[in-house]
Amino acid sequence: IGLHQRDNRKLIASLKKLRDEGNSVMVVEHDAETMMAADWLIDVGPGAGKEGGEICLSAPLDVLVNGKTPGNPDDGRIIIGPSTTLDYLRGEKKIEVPSQRRTGNGHILGIRGARGNNLKNVDIDFPLGMFIGISGVSGSGKSSLINETLMPVLKNRFYNAKLQPLPYDDVVGIENIDKLIEIDQSPIGRTPRSNPATFTGVFNDIRTLFEATPDAKVRGFKAGRFSFNVPGGRCEECKGAGIKVIEMNFLPSVNVVCPECRGRRYKNDTLAVKYKGKNINDVLEMPISEAYGFFENIPSIAQKLKALVDVGLGYVQLGQSAVTLSGGESQRIKLAYFLSMTDGATNRSKQQRILFIFDEPTTGLHFYDVEKLLKSFDALLAKGHSIVVVEHNLDVIRAADWVIDLGPEAGDAGGNLVYAGTPEQLKSCNGSYTAKYI
């Protein structure tokens, strides 16, 4: 994670050296070059969540990629089945390079005289209305430029933050954007009660829908009755969490299913209220793709769920606890929230010019997920927003409209603007390591 392809090859060489010295090396990885350097490949899937959990592949790499006949076809260790990973490694599926680049909206956001850490007094323009990739070897100054200089300046401007950016002379063109949104891989919540339904706001619409059912009207239940965050309809034994946390003194805490509600979060009379045969807990336990089909005729709900499906999270349960979500899943839930928020012609945010900043968004993502992520970027850009992505993934850099490459080396030998332009022209830039790999 966080390695440029140049540095990644050094890591692979180190792993091979460990192997050659008689050790066994096991690597959990999405990086194609790392997988192609392996002797034996095991692929788990075929899908995610309930659709996964099977061994799709377990075989020598040359057998899988080159189609060679195994030395011993009866070897029980070898498993070869349908695999999305193998489709990408063989080139049968690939992340397409856009046929044309966006030209932007004619405005720029520019930084002048950035000289914090190893930055060499650089002047850089970010063309707006475009997908901008920030590349360079690890330690070249990307985080210093974006995370520690540009973002603090913008947060101070838009949110009255009191952050101290690294030294710089000026930032021009701030008037060309209305808002800054940073989408990172931090959790969407730190308690078991936080989940995709609550974060995206779709749970409010679902509770309102349950309030309107004949069952709820007979009992006099309002929308608040179906909340697990306030007293009333929730199980008070676990306070609506569905689990109880047992403190183990000097050992890690243990989560156990609530003995009162048996993990169902609510009191029995609340669970007796049903919509299309499902109670509120049944809905929370649905995979998001199933919930989307269940509520497809309710526009206010379907719109938010579609955004979650579009970013590749259809396998996640609607009420899945935030503490069980990976960083990549949390990031895509945030992205889905903003995609759904900027839908609808009457929503003010549709007219806003938002600058979205992502730092290494492909961390923990499979090829298939990266493809979904790029489509989500397209949806944001189609609404008139701008995207800046700090990234090493070459598929993402190739998909960008504009690339800003820093370096050429790391540390003191980095911090210069090596290149700014389209990915096509980057390939001919002699001073860029990214150009050699792209």
Side-chain angles (χ1 to χ4, degrees), residues 83-343:
S83 164
T84 303
T85 302
L86 190 57
D87 291 342
Y88 281 99
L89 293 180
R90 285 175 170 170
E92 294 169 6
K93 289 184 179 179
K94 60 182 179 178
I95 298 174
E96 298 290 344
V97 176
S99 57
Q100 60 185 59
R101 309 291 176 180
R102 298 173 186 84
T103 56
N105 59 21
H107 298 294
I108 63 112
L109 175 69
I111 192 162
R112 304 288 180 258
R115 55 189 180 275
N117 294 337
N118 66 337
L119 294 175
K120 305 295 193 297
N121 203 41
V122 293
D123 296 340
I124 296 177
D125 287 341
F126 303 90
L128 299 175
M130 297 170 70
F131 170 11
I132 305 167
I134 312 296
S135 64
V137 299
S138 308
S140 61
K142 303 184 297 298
S143 293
S144 296
L145 176 69
I146 303 299
N147 297 341
E148 299 179 64
T149 307
L150 181 62
M151 271 210 290
V153 172
L154 297 179
K155 286 180 178 179
N156 290 346
R157 170 68 176 268
F158 292 115
Y159 304 114
N160 295 317
K162 305 297 181 184
L163 303 174
Q164 184 59 51
L166 293 176
Y168 72 101
D169 292 333
D170 193 17
V171 172
V172 299
I174 295 183
E175 69 278 4
N176 295 323
I177 59 175
D178 300 314
K179 192 175 185 180
L180 165 73
I181 293 175
E182 176 191 8
I183 300 185
D184 58 19
Q185 295 203 354
S186 61
I188 59 170
R190 300 190 181 276
T191 70
R193 280 189 288 272
S194 299
N195 58 56
T198 57
F199 184 87
T200 59
V202 72
F203 196 43
N204 294 332
D205 300 309
I206 291 173
R207 290 190 293 110
T208 300
L209 185 64
F210 268 84
E211 178 187 8
T213 61
D215 287 346
K217 289 180 178 178
V218 168
R219 291 171 171 80
F221 291 171
K222 300 300 182 183
R225 182 81 188 190
F226 303 97
S227 171
F228 47 72
N229 287 318
V230 295
R234 71 181 186 184
C235 169
E236 289 304 323
E237 181 70 19
C238 63
K239 301 292 190 290
I243 61 172
K244 296 195 72 175
V245 179
I246 300 176
E247 300 293 340
M248 300 292 286
N249 294 328
F250 299 107
L251 297 173
S253 299
V254 174
N255 293 336
V256 298
V257 175
C258 173
E260 182 69 24
C261 67
R262 300 188 300 283
R264 297 187 299 171
R265 305 176 190 248
Y266 296 93
K267 296 175 181 177
N268 287 333
D269 56 352
T270 308
L271 295 173
V273 176
K274 295 185 177 182
Y275 172 78
K276 291 170 64 174
K278 301 288 186 181
N279 62 40
I280 190 70
N281 186 64
D282 293 334
V283 169
L284 289 171
E285 290 188 344
M286 285 182 180
I288 290 171
S289 57
E290 181 184 335
Y292 174 54
F294 187 73
F295 292 112
E296 63 180 346
N297 295 322
I298 313 295
S300 61
I301 298 175
Q303 174 187 308
K304 295 182 176 75
L305 296 180
K306 182 179 185 300
L308 289 165
V309 172
D310 287 346
V311 297
L313 293 176
Y315 65 92
V316 174
Q317 285 183 327
L318 188 57
Q320 187 167 328
S321 171
V323 299
T324 68
L325 297 169
S326 70
E329 288 166 341
S330 296
Q331 176 180 252
R332 284 182 286 165
I333 288 171
K334 296 173 190 176
L335 179 55
Y337 168 72
F338 288 110
L339 282 170
S340 65
M341 183 188 74
T342 55
D343 277 339

Side-chain angles (χ1 to χ4, degrees), residues 413-426:
N416 296 294
L417 175 60
V418 176
Y419 173 82
T422 64
E424 285 78 10
Q425 294 168 327
L426 170 61

